[in-house]
Amino acid sequence: MTSAVETFRFLEHGSPADPVVVLRSRFWNFNAIGFFDGDEACVVDPGIYPDEIEALRRAVCERAGRLPRRVTHVAVTHSHHDHIRGWMRFPGARIVFPRAGVEKSEAARTRILATKRKIDEQLGVEDEGFRYPEADIVFDERCTFTIGDLTAEMRFLPGHSNCTSVVWIPALRTLCTADYLVSPGLAYCRWEARAFESALATMRGWCESEGVTRILPAHNDPIEGADAVLAAIDLEARTFAFLRDRVRAEITGGRSREGVVREAAAAVARQRGSSGGRRARQDTDNARRILAEEWPEPVSP
Ligand SMILES: [Zn+2]
């Protein structure tokens, strides 16, 4: 995956009527998010390049003729390298991070930091003193905090990874979904398939009961409108269920493990009308994760 985009841009600039800022990075279509009220601001996964993080900070903090707002909270949704990059760049802010992220093993942290360093090299980013996120506010299921008069809530929602959470801003009817719904119909599962399906069902329930009208995923395009939000979740769930059905059918058909993965991934690509590239790799990866549940590999003694 290359990122030949020249510069970042703002998808949302933030205004008194809609105090949300979305900065589209030149890397991986990543969306760094911020919101503000009164004298305070919050940023959510404020990646990627240092100049982008600084531009996000200015966009949420600066206002004509008045003292700048303070970033009081940095919400880190999960521990993947593109989401943790900006946590150190808001001195004085409290870092909010799910317990599952805080409690990552030393080995997992080392892997994450190594991946980040590799990407830094590709991007030409110098980030010498970077450390794994150190949380000020740790939560298990949910955590509420306020930004000016706005309430924000982080909710633990494992599935994309075992430590993923999302950020809900009730007054703005906006759900920041991290790596959920980044490309509806092409599930971005990096952990367990069943947990991913269950996360989608949980999220659908929240969207209905809370009246979510905007989803801000961490990559690609925002989803606007209550109907579009539910349609995106349904498409994602339907496509994943289709893939699981295909995996089951191919197992019954007597194929090898690799054959099951190949045929099931090809079937979902045909159904979607896509072929090749990054999508094919993700379909294959999803099929592999489903296979691990439908046809567990024998555990060696
Ligand atoms: Zn992720």
Side-chain angles (χ1 to χ4, degrees), residues 77-83 160-161 164 178-180 188 190 218-219:
T77 61
H78 64 295
S79 69
H80 284 157
H81 77 85
D82 44 340
H83 296 255
H160 162 67
S161 72
T164 297
D179 283 344
Y180 292 109
Y188 189 28
R190 307 299 300 155
H219 304 266

Side-chain angles (χ1 to χ4, degrees), residues 8-281:
F8 64 83
R9 64 194 168 96
F10 287 99
L11 303 184
E12 301 283 351
H13 290 265
S15 68
D18 186 23
V20 171
V21 174
V22 180
L23 184 150
R24 166 63 56 83
S25 169
R26 51 202 189 273
F27 179 69
W28 280 4
N29 272 355
F30 186 88
N31 299 320
I33 297 167
F35 56 96
F36 54 82
D37 190 67
D39 296 331
E40 298 180 341
C42 172
V43 291
V44 180
D45 296 345
I48 297 286
Y49 287 89
D51 66 321
E52 295 171 346
I53 300 170
E54 174 56 17
L56 178 72
R57 191 196 62 73
R58 279 202 308 273
V60 293
C61 289
E62 287 184 359
R63 42 187 181 171
R66 300 183 59 185
L67 285 175
R69 297 184 191 92
R70 246 168 10 99
V71 173
T72 57
H73 293 77
V74 177
V76 182
T77 61
H78 64 295
S79 69
H80 284 157
H81 77 85
D82 44 340
H83 296 255
I84 61 175
R85 294 182 158 261
W87 80 272
M88 296 175 75
R89 294 181 184 262
F90 299 85
R94 308 187 76 193
I95 311 303
V96 197
F97 194 36
R99 183 172 308 281
V102 171
E103 291 182 349
K104 287 262 154 158
S105 68
E106 203 49 48
R109 289 170 182 232
T110 303
R111 265 198 314 275
I112 291 163
L113 292 176
T115 305
K116 179 182 173 292
R117 267 195 307 278
K118 212 173 81 189
I119 301 289
D120 282 346
E121 274 169 35
Q122 283 176 24
L123 302 182
V125 167
E126 300 258 351
D127 204 1
E128 272 315 306
F130 185 82
R131 302 188 303 276
Y132 186 83
E134 292 155 16
D136 300 295
I137 302 174
V138 181
F139 65 98
D140 292 296
E141 292 301 321
R142 293 187 184 196
C143 156
T144 301
F145 54 92
T146 57
I147 301 300
D149 290 330
L150 279 182
T151 297
E153 190 181 12
M154 286 186 81
R155 295 183 178 184
F156 188 50
L157 190 64
H160 162 67
S161 72
N162 69 350
C163 65
T164 297
S165 61
V166 297
V167 182
W168 166 229
I169 316 157
L172 307 179
R173 301 217 170 285
T174 296
L175 185 67
C176 307
T177 55
D179 283 344
Y180 292 109
L181 302 174
V182 296
S183 182
L186 181 66
Y188 189 28
C189 175
R190 307 299 300 155
W191 187 43
E192 293 172 359
R194 274 203 197 92
F196 189 92
E197 289 167 313
S198 138
L200 289 179
T202 301
M203 191 159 51
R204 194 188 202 285
W206 291 343
C207 288
E208 270 196 314
S209 64
E210 310 273 14
V212 174
T213 60
R214 174 169 53 186
I215 277 177
L216 299 177
H219 304 266
N220 304 326
D221 292 334
I223 300 164
E224 306 265 1
D227 292 345
V229 162
L230 295 182
I233 297 172
D234 290 345
L235 173 62
E236 186 91 327
R238 219 167 41 237
T239 311
F240 211 80
F242 175 86
L243 183 58
R244 188 180 285 281
D245 282 349
R246 291 314 310 162
V247 167
R248 285 180 178 151
E250 298 296 343
I251 292 171
T252 311
R255 287 190 193 277
S256 67
R257 299 184 71 87
E258 279 312 302
V260 169
V261 167
R262 189 181 62 241
E263 294 302 322
V268 78
R270 274 198 305 278
Q271 193 221 28
R272 189 193 300 116
S274 72
S275 63
R278 193 165 64 85
R279 284 172 170 243
R281 281 199 297 281

